[in-house]
Amino acid sequence: MLGLFRDFGFLCRQVSLGAIVEFELRLSWLFIRRNVRATVMAGTAFAVAMVLRRSSDVFVMLHALFAALAYFWLYAYSFDLHNQLTGVTEDRINK
């Protein structure tokens, strides 16, 4: 396994974890930026409204907020990635 990385050493460089996370967040934002209101914000607002109805604890509400944000962000990201990958064939047909 190490030999594989040694063979492609010109492609590998040391990158910090923060740079990798920043790149992934930016990439996911570029995929879902047009659908944020319809997916992430709407779903998160609904989840927070449900938690506010059931509990008035601030920590429960914050946990639900961040969990809903992560869930709906990943949901929209996977949906948009799938559409991006399958859209190539559709674009060829439409031309």
Side-chain angles (χ1 to χ4, degrees), residues 29-79:
W29 170 252
L30 291 174
F31 274 110
I32 72 164
R33 68 180 177 208
R34 290 184 180 93
N35 296 331
V36 168
R37 274 190 250 159
T39 56
V40 178
M41 291 174 69
T44 302
F46 184 71
V48 169
M50 286 184 358
V51 168
L52 286 175
R53 176 85 169 118
R54 300 279 264 155
S55 172
S56 61
D57 188 14
V58 175
F59 295 112
V60 171
M61 188 188 71
L62 288 175
H63 179 266
L65 174 70
F66 289 118
L69 274 173
Y71 176 80
F72 288 112
W73 185 281
L74 292 173
Y75 177 78
Y77 187 42
S78 65
F79 184 79

Side-chain angles (χ1 to χ4, degrees), residues 73-89:
W73 185 281
L74 292 173
Y75 177 78
Y77 187 42
S78 65
F79 184 79
D80 288 338
L81 276 177
H82 179 265
N83 284 342
Q84 186 72 23
L85 292 173
T86 58
V88 174
T89 309

